[in-house]
Amino acid sequence: MPMFFYGYVQRFFRFFSSFIILFISLSSIVYADEALDDESASVMEEKINSVVELDKLQKGLDSLKQAVSNATTDNQLGILNDSALQLASDANALITVLQPARRQIQGQLDVLGPPPIEGEMKETNTVVKSRNSLNARKALLDSQIEHAKTISLSATKLSLQIVNIRRNTMRSQMALNSGSILSVQFWSPVWQTQSEDKRRLTSFCNDVTESWRLVWAPEWRLGSTVLLMLVLIIWCFGSHWLDKSVGWFSIHIVPEGRLRRSFLAASTTLVTVVNVGMGAQVLYWLFTRLPKLPDVLVDIADGLLRLTFFSSLIAGLGRAFLSNHRPSWRLLVIPDPLAQVMKPLPTLLATCVLFSGAIEQFNNRIGTSVSIIMFGYGLSALLVASVAFSGPFLIKRTRRKLQAAGVSLVTPSPLVALIQVCITATSISILIALLIGYISLARFLTYELVWIIIVLSLFYLLIHLVVDLCEGLFSPNTLVGVRIKQMFHLNDRHLSQVAILLAAIGKTLLIMFGTVALINGNFASATPLALLHKVMEFWGGKGIENLNIIPAHVLNALIFLGIALYVLRSARRWLEKDFLPKTIMEPGMRSSVVTLFGNVGYVLIILLAISTLGIQWNNLAWIVSALSVGIGFGLQEIVKNFISGLILLTERPVKVGDLISISGIEGDIRRINVRATEIQLGDRSTVIVPNSQLISQNVRNATMGNVQGVATIVLTFPLDIDPEKVRTLLLAAYSEHKTIQSIPAPSVTFSQLTPAGIVLRITGFVSSPRVVASTKSDLLFEILQRLRTNGITLSMPQKMIVEKANLSSTSSLDS
């Protein structure tokens, strides 16, 4: 009975809970339906407004496209670009308005839940009607949002197209003669500014004024004051403190030698960059910490910060090379009066570069007209070219004054004179281009001149620093060198090899970075990370994908070819003169290694020059086919000799320095080239033998595996001599000669017994096969003298005399 009652109660509560849940669901549905009915008017109104707004945006986009196709001036394109950006902003604003309504409808659909599947309890008509209405509204909002996104994307693309059109128009105008700097047209932006430029300049000045006002607002005033004071302290006292610290470190910590000089120069450059850059960074924080700072000001501030670091590098390199504060530690050989005269030039050049870059950053970010851009280009090129031209001019004038005063000066090296001539010629070319109206060409030459000077100066400084650092740290006289010797159990020769090898690796990396910087670098990529990225792109093969030969690629290929050939020759000279002599390799092996390294290097340089030119490897198939035909008919001997030369350098059956004999020619090998081998004879003449003959013919190598030489003389004596007496005499002549070695001892061999006499062979060993001929000559003189003194003669050759009988007597006897 209790169990029955318990089951009855359980079924009752289950039914009651189901009823309650159903009642709540129906109530919510009815409420939602009533809410939808109440909001139907507002929903229809929003629907109409959104449709009208989308139609308005679409018509605005179509009219903009039509206007862009008909625009002819840069001002018109600038106005259309602003309109396109505003249209994209309006479309994004509409999307922002529509998305909350969609999220609300999606929430209502989540409350209703998914439609019931077959077999479950059916929904009421009210629920079905509400779900369908909500789905329809959601689909409509989705289509409107997608339409607005499409309009926004199209407007953004149209803006990019307008920018490209303006850029191409500007390039085409700048490529033409834009007027001399002496013309009224060039200076017209100073007193006659276009309306659009005025509007942009006014807007920019208003943004700067507003930002400056915010900097000194009450809530930001304290922080701005602290940051500004920090900037003044860094720029006024930071360089002095850092220079004193670097000088103390160089004197007391850095090992003595050339490392101190190069370390001080590099540290001076770094101190200048850090001091100026830190002040600029704090000044950058002074403005960029403000909330809601305009994007154009942030972009200009970023560009000016990078330009400040680059300009500080120019000033730092000038301070490092001139070293007016420590003349005795100067890296370059520059007289003190000349260094004092040149002292303001690096700072002046850095200021001009900063000013030029700032003008270009301003024009690019503001979007000024072509006339203002050309005015900025011309003014920047004029300032930089004037400073660059004044450098060699001041140097020549100061040298003349010093020579007239009787001061003896060191004659500059040809490389320094060549650099001065190149700077002067480029500066004159820039000034001529400005005078005849080719301002874009002058701007290009200006930037290239500054960039090449900076890269070469930095490369020179780092090369000296790397070499001196390796030699200083791995010297057996320094603490680091002693520790390395003890740790790895090395001797002085091995330590010297490590220093040379590490210096070579450092030079190679610097040359690679310098090459990429010269070819692909500019002011915007004057950072280590950017240059590293360009190195990876340059050597990653991206330039070899297509056959795309353009003048820029040709110039890059020529620059690379010149640098690569210089590097290869320097590397060969380094292997031959510096590194290999410190190894245990014999001279012949060293010469083979240097030759093989040069041959492989030339092949790699040619391949890399082709890739730098922009030629795809697949496009070289026709060249390979033509070469294969040529090799089959006319070049087979050259290829055979080339392969034979590689075999000689690798297998080394003969090597440089060996004494060989081939086809009756005997001499020393002096050089194994790609095609032929040079053999020096005893009379100092040279015979050139193709490499293939050394591989295919029988070659006698007198020095291969045998350092000693053998002096052998064969003599024939009469039968009536005393053999023992002659043997003793011959051995005495050999033993007393200074070049005959005692071990193994000389010997006399009874070679033959013939009717002509006794044949004796005398043999003795000498130190080298090259002294065999001279030793045999001396021994023959000595032996003949001793034989005559002892009355011993050599055997005379027997002659058979056949006399012809008298034919007349023969005939008489027969009769």
Side-chain angles (χ1 to χ4, degrees):
M1 186 68 178
M3 294 298 295
F4 173 75
F5 179 76
Y6 175 76
Y8 177 77
V9 173
Q10 187 179 13
R11 285 194 298 273
F12 174 76
F13 275 107
R14 188 177 299 170
F15 173 76
F16 181 76
S17 62
S18 301
F19 177 77
I20 294 298
I21 293 173
L22 180 61
F23 176 77
I24 294 173
S25 301
L26 291 175
S27 299
S28 63
I29 293 170
V30 172
Y31 175 77
D33 186 60
E34 291 177 355
L36 290 174
D37 292 337
D38 294 337
E39 295 177 359
S40 58
S42 61
V43 169
M44 290 299 296
E45 184 179 357
E46 291 178 359
K47 175 181 177 181
I48 294 173
N49 292 334
S50 60
V51 171
V52 172
E53 186 67 23
L54 283 173
D55 185 60
K56 180 181 177 181
L57 292 176
Q58 184 63 48
K59 289 181 179 179
L61 180 62
D62 296 338
S63 62
L64 277 178
K65 291 181 179 179
Q66 184 67 26
V68 169
S69 61
N70 297 327
T72 57
T73 63
D74 184 73
N75 289 335
Q76 293 177 353
L77 290 174
I79 296 173
L80 293 175
N81 184 30
D82 295 339
S83 301
L85 294 176
Q86 184 62 40
L87 182 64
S89 178
D90 294 340
N92 293 329
L94 181 60
I95 294 172
T96 305
V97 172
L98 294 177
Q99 283 179 345
R102 185 190 180 282
R103 287 195 295 267
Q104 183 180 1
I105 294 175
Q106 184 63 44
Q108 294 175 358
L109 288 173
D110 293 339
V111 172
L112 292 178
I117 61 176
E118 186 177 358
E120 293 184 353
M121 184 178 61
K122 295 184 178 180
E123 295 178 331
T124 62
N125 293 331
T126 304
V127 176
V128 174
K129 181 181 177 181
S130 300
R131 181 182 288 109
N132 293 336
S133 176
L134 292 174
N135 284 327
R137 290 177 59 190
K138 178 187 174 184
L140 178 61
L141 287 175
D142 287 339
S143 64
Q144 291 177 349
I145 291 173
E146 290 298 327
H147 191 188
K149 288 181 178 179
T150 303
I151 293 175
S152 176
L153 181 61
S154 301
T156 304
K157 290 183 178 179
L158 181 62
S159 175
L160 294 176
Q161 292 176 2
I162 294 173
V163 171
N164 291 330
I165 292 173
R166 295 184 67 190
R167 184 179 294 112
N168 294 331
T169 304
M170 188 181 302
R171 288 178 179 175
S172 62
Q173 293 178 4
M174 290 190 302
L176 302 176
N177 192 317
S178 53
S180 172
I181 59 173
L182 302 179
S183 63
V184 178
Q185 179 185 357
F186 176 79
W187 296 97
S188 61
V190 177
W191 60 78
Q192 186 179 0
T193 308
Q194 300 179 7
S195 58
E196 181 64 22
D197 291 333
K198 287 182 179 179
R199 186 184 66 82
R200 295 177 184 275
L201 292 174
T202 303
S203 176
F204 175 74
C205 292
N206 292 335
D207 291 337
V208 173
T209 304
E210 181 64 22
S211 300
W212 182 253
R213 187 186 64 80
L214 288 175
V215 166
W216 299 107
E219 62 271 19
W220 301 97
R221 186 174 301 165
L222 179 60
S224 301
T225 304
V226 172
L227 291 176
L228 190 58
M229 291 298 296
L230 184 59
V231 171
L232 295 177
I233 292 173
I234 291 175
W235 283 350
C236 293
F237 305 102
S239 179
H240 178 70
W241 294 338
L242 291 175
D243 283 338
K244 289 186 65 176
S245 302
V246 167
W248 181 89
F249 186 85
S250 301
I251 296 174
H252 297 88
I253 304 300
V254 179
E256 295 183 0
R258 295 185 302 176
L259 179 58
R260 286 186 175 180
R261 184 180 58 178
S262 57
F263 176 80
L264 180 64
S267 300
T268 302
T269 305
L270 186 61
V271 162
T272 306
V273 174
V274 170
N275 182 62
V276 178
M278 285 179 60
Q281 185 69 55
V282 175
L283 195 61
Y284 173 81
W285 290 335
L286 177 65
F287 288 94
T288 56
R289 66 193 176 96
L290 298 177
K292 298 181 181 179
L293 192 68
D295 294 336
V296 63
L297 293 183
V298 175
D299 294 339
I300 292 178
D302 292 336
L304 289 178
L305 183 62
R306 291 193 297 269
L307 283 171
T308 303
F309 276 98
F310 184 81
S311 302
S312 63
L313 178 62
I314 298 175
L317 287 172
R319 289 187 62 216
F321 286 123
L322 296 179
S323 187
N324 288 305
H325 56 294
R326 288 187 177 89
S328 59
W329 289 29
R330 189 172 292 143
L331 192 61
L332 296 175
V333 182
I334 303 176
D336 291 341
L338 193 59
Q340 291 293 334
V341 170
M342 296 175 61
K343 182 179 180 179
L345 290 181
T347 305
L348 190 58
L349 180 61
T351 305
C352 292
V353 169
L354 179 61
F355 176 74
S356 304
I359 291 178
E360 186 164 350
Q361 291 281 339
F362 175 80
N363 291 329
N364 292 336
R365 297 299 186 273
I366 301 300
T368 54
S369 62
V370 177
S371 59
I372 292 183
I373 292 177
M374 299 305 296
F375 177 76
Y377 285 171
L379 188 61
S380 303
L382 180 62
L383 292 176
V384 176
S386 301
V387 175
F389 178 77
S390 62
F393 177 76
L394 288 177
I395 291 174
K396 290 183 179 179
R397 189 178 68 175
T398 307
R399 291 183 66 90
R400 290 196 192 100
K401 290 183 179 180
L402 293 176
Q403 290 176 354
V407 179
S408 60
L409 299 176
V410 179
T411 304
S413 63
L415 181 60
V416 174
L418 178 62
I419 293 175
Q420 293 180 3
V421 170
C422 292
I423 293 175
T424 304
T426 307
S427 303
I428 294 175
S429 301
I430 294 172
L431 296 176
I432 292 175
L434 291 175
L435 290 175
I436 63 178
Y438 289 94
I439 297 178
S440 59
L441 176 61
R443 178 248 186 188
F444 170 76
L445 293 177
T446 301
Y447 275 43
E448 290 297 321
L449 174 63
V450 174
W451 181 251
I452 290 175
I453 290 175
I454 298 307
V455 171
L456 294 181
S457 301
L458 193 60
F459 174 75
Y460 179 83
L461 176 61
L462 293 179
I463 282 289
H464 278 272
L465 179 62
V466 168
V467 174
D468 296 342
L469 185 64
C470 293
E471 293 180 355
L473 293 181
F474 294 94
S475 174
N477 301 324
T478 60
L479 180 60
V480 178
V482 173
R483 294 289 177 84
I484 293 175
K485 287 175 58 177
Q486 295 175 355
M487 185 181 301
F488 297 100
H489 304 288
L490 302 175
N491 53 31
D492 293 346
R493 180 174 60 84
H494 291 155
L495 202 63
S496 178
Q497 292 177 5
V498 172
I500 294 175
L501 190 59
L502 291 179
I505 295 174
K507 287 182 180 179
T508 303
L509 294 177
L510 290 175
I511 289 171
M512 183 176 64
F513 274 91
T515 303
V516 176
L518 285 176
I519 294 176
N520 297 323
N522 49 50
F523 292 170
S525 63
T527 59
L529 292 179
L531 287 180
L532 180 61
H533 179 69
K534 288 185 177 294
V535 169
M536 301 305 295
E537 286 185 352
F538 183 79
W539 298 105
K542 291 186 177 180
I544 318 176
E545 295 177 356
N546 297 312
L547 181 61
N548 188 21
I549 300 179
I550 59 178
H553 290 174
V554 175
L555 179 61
N556 292 342
L558 292 177
I559 294 175
F560 171 79
L561 192 62
I563 295 176
L565 291 176
Y566 174 76
V567 171
L568 179 60
R569 293 178 181 177
S570 300
R572 288 188 59 181
R573 186 165 55 250
W574 171 79
L575 279 175
E576 185 177 3
K577 303 295 183 182
D578 296 335
F579 182 73
L580 292 181
K582 292 182 172 59
T583 62
I584 58 175
M585 291 184 183
E586 57 184 4
M589 183 62 182
R590 295 202 298 263
S591 178
S592 299
V593 169
V594 172
T595 304
L596 184 60
F597 175 79
N599 294 338
V600 175
Y602 283 120
V603 174
L604 292 178
I605 286 174
I606 293 174
L607 296 179
L608 292 176
I610 292 175
S611 68
T612 308
L613 194 61
I615 299 178
Q616 186 180 0
W617 299 111
N618 296 333
N619 295 323
L620 299 178
W622 62 274
I623 299 178
V624 176
S625 301
L627 286 178
S628 62
V629 175
I631 290 172
F633 289 98
L635 302 178
Q636 55 182 350
E637 290 297 329
I638 297 177
V639 174
K640 182 170 65 175
N641 291 325
F642 175 75
I643 300 299
S644 300
L646 294 180
I647 294 174
L648 293 177
L649 293 174
T650 53
E651 292 187 359
R652 302 178 69 244
V654 294
K655 59 183 182 299
V656 176
D658 286 352
L659 177 63
I660 66 170
S661 176
I662 177 175
S663 301
I665 299 173
E666 184 175 2
D668 297 325
I669 295 180
R670 292 305 179 196
R671 183 179 301 172
I672 300 177
N673 296 319
V674 176
R675 189 192 65 84
T677 299
E678 298 178 4
I679 301 176
Q680 185 176 358
L681 304 183
D683 58 355
R684 301 299 180 182
S685 62
T686 301
V687 176
I688 299 175
V689 178
N691 292 329
S692 58
Q693 294 187 12
L694 298 175
I695 299 297
S696 59
Q697 296 185 9
N698 296 328
V699 180
R700 176 180 174 268
N701 193 338
T703 56
M704 183 177 181
N706 182 23
V707 180
Q708 295 178 330
V710 181
T712 301
I713 298 176
V714 180
L715 299 175
T716 303
F717 296 93
L719 295 174
D720 56 351
I721 65 166
D722 185 0
E724 289 296 332
K725 181 179 179 181
V726 174
R727 179 175 180 272
T728 303
L729 186 146
L730 296 177
L731 286 177
Y734 261 72
S735 300
E736 294 176 4
H737 197 276
K738 60 181 180 179
T739 59
I740 298 297
Q741 297 182 352
S742 58
I743 300 176
S747 61
V748 177
T749 304
F750 200 129
S751 179
Q752 291 181 5
L753 180 62
T754 62
I758 300 172
V759 180
L760 299 179
R761 180 185 297 272
I762 312 99
T763 302
F765 290 89
V766 293
S767 59
S768 172
R770 292 177 177 81
V771 300
V772 170
S774 59
T775 302
K776 288 176 63 175
S777 176
D778 295 341
L779 288 172
L780 285 173
F781 279 110
E782 181 67 22
I783 289 173
L784 288 177
Q785 182 179 1
R786 295 194 179 197
L787 290 177
R788 290 177 180 176
T789 303
N790 290 276
I792 301 175
T793 60
L794 294 175
S795 176
M796 296 293 295
Q798 294 182 356
K799 295 182 180 180
M800 181 178 294
I801 301 175
V802 179
E803 294 181 358
K804 188 175 181 180
N806 192 351
L807 294 177
S808 59
S809 59
T810 305
S811 54
S812 62
L813 289 174
D814 291 338
S815 60

